[in-house]
Amino acid sequence: MVHMLTSEFRKVFLPVVITVGILTVVTCLLTLTLYKGYSLDYDLEAWEVGREILDFLFPLFVVGPVCWTLYYERKDRFLMYTLPRVSQWRYLTAKLVVAAVCAFVILFIPYVLSAVVALYVKAPILPMIRPEGTTPFSHIYLNLFIDNPLGYALALSAWKGVIGALVMGLGFLLSMYVKNIFIVLTGPFVYSILENFIWAILRIPQYRLITSFEPTVLSEDAIIWWSTLVGPGVLILFTGLLWFYFAKIRRLRVYEV
């Protein structure tokens, strides 16, 4: 299994490294520049401003660099040549594990490094002096955000990485059964948009996947700790139902003879 994991990692190493490098540079530059047009109280707020583009497009970044391999291995019938050497289950499991780790890293590293830039590289932000009677500064997990901003950034970045791995899982499932590379690479992004729209129509935006991914999109009193688990839970359920449809109802095969 270790040999298979190493082999699969080599296949996606270059696109993953390029993606991490580009996202890190972009988010760090945005963190250093965009905050200047805002009135902020704390250094980590510059990080929140600078990562908005990545927050919106993250499904594309976690799927594209890793989910193309299985698609092309199916298309080129490379999978059939692996059967004499390794079982289907072991081979697909190795690919999924490597893809999940890479998806986590693709988000975790840029988010953490841009947070470090916000806290220790850019010029310090001095809290605004608010007149009496005005609304005080508020933020989800306020004490952790103020007293231990690096710990807050690390925890949130790790959580974003986990959600990124779950979103990649949907893309991986599509690469197992769908014969259109465009659908494989953009399907999870379309899911995130539609899911966001549906929860908004139902007027329960605290259950959206994007709310779980980025809790600051809502006021802190609108979010309960368990509500952030609904979006990922629905994603896992949707992925499972989609697998059931492909594998059990349509009876599609990953390894096509």
Side-chain angles (χ1 to χ4, degrees):
M1 179 62 79
V2 174
H3 175 72
M4 283 192 295
L5 292 174
T6 304
S7 175
E8 292 303 320
F9 180 72
R10 290 197 187 106
K11 295 177 183 178
V12 297
F13 176 78
L14 185 58
V16 168
V17 168
I18 292 175
T19 303
V20 170
I22 292 175
L23 292 181
T24 300
V25 171
V26 171
T27 51
C28 288
L29 288 177
L30 293 178
T31 298
L32 286 170
T33 56
L34 289 185
Y35 81 96
K36 297 178 181 179
Y38 294 79
S39 296
L40 305 178
D41 290 277
Y42 297 96
D43 290 315
L44 202 57
E45 288 183 279
W47 177 59
E48 295 178 336
V49 172
R51 69 179 192 231
E52 289 179 353
I53 294 178
L54 181 54
D55 287 344
F56 177 67
L57 297 177
F58 82 92
L60 297 175
F61 299 132
V62 297
V63 171
V66 294
C67 290
W68 60 272
T69 58
L70 181 56
Y71 169 83
Y72 281 106
E73 286 180 2
R74 290 177 59 234
K75 183 178 180 180
D76 299 338
R77 300 180 62 82
F78 174 81
L79 286 181
M80 301 305 299
Y81 296 101
T82 66
L83 281 176
R85 299 191 301 270
V86 61
S87 68
Q88 298 181 30
W89 182 87
R90 285 172 60 85
Y91 187 74
L92 293 177
T93 299
K95 293 188 77 70
L96 179 60
V97 170
V98 169
V101 171
C102 289
F104 179 90
V105 169
I106 286 171
L107 294 184
F108 182 74
I109 292 179
Y111 276 121
V112 169
L113 293 182
S114 57
V116 170
V117 167
L119 293 173
Y120 305 111
V121 176
K122 69 163 193 48
I125 295 175
L126 298 177
M128 293 188 300
I129 300 177
R130 300 177 183 271
E132 286 188 30
T134 59
T135 303
F137 177 81
S138 62
H139 197 283
I140 189 169
Y141 303 121
L142 180 61
N143 292 335
L144 181 62
F145 181 84
I146 294 176
D147 298 333
N148 188 5
L150 182 59
Y152 173 90
L154 286 171
L156 184 57
S157 298
W159 177 241
K160 288 175 181 288
V162 170
I163 294 179
L166 294 178
V167 171
M168 184 285 309
L170 175 57
F172 189 86
L173 176 68
L174 294 175
S175 72
M176 290 171 59
Y177 296 105
V178 176
K179 295 183 178 181
N180 187 316
I181 186 62
F182 181 77
I183 294 177
V184 171
L185 299 183
T186 62
F189 179 65
V190 174
Y191 168 86
S192 68
I193 294 177
L194 293 177
E195 186 257 12
N196 185 14
F197 177 76
I198 291 171
W199 285 121
I201 290 296
L202 295 176
R203 297 185 178 181
I204 40 180
Q206 64 271 28
Y207 297 147
R208 299 176 301 176
L209 183 66
I210 189 60
T211 302
S212 180
F213 188 81
E214 180 45 64
T216 59
V217 296
L218 296 179
S219 60
E220 69 280 3
D221 57 351
I223 300 176
I224 307 173
W225 70 268
W226 57 264
S227 67
T228 59
L229 302 178
V230 174
V234 171
L235 173 60
I236 294 173
L237 178 62
F238 177 81
T239 303
L241 291 175
L242 194 60
W243 170 83
F244 184 82
Y245 170 74
F246 284 139
K248 302 301 180 181
I249 297 180
R250 294 192 59 189
R251 298 185 180 276
L252 300 179
R253 295 183 179 180
V254 182
Y255 288 68
E256 295 181 341
V257 180

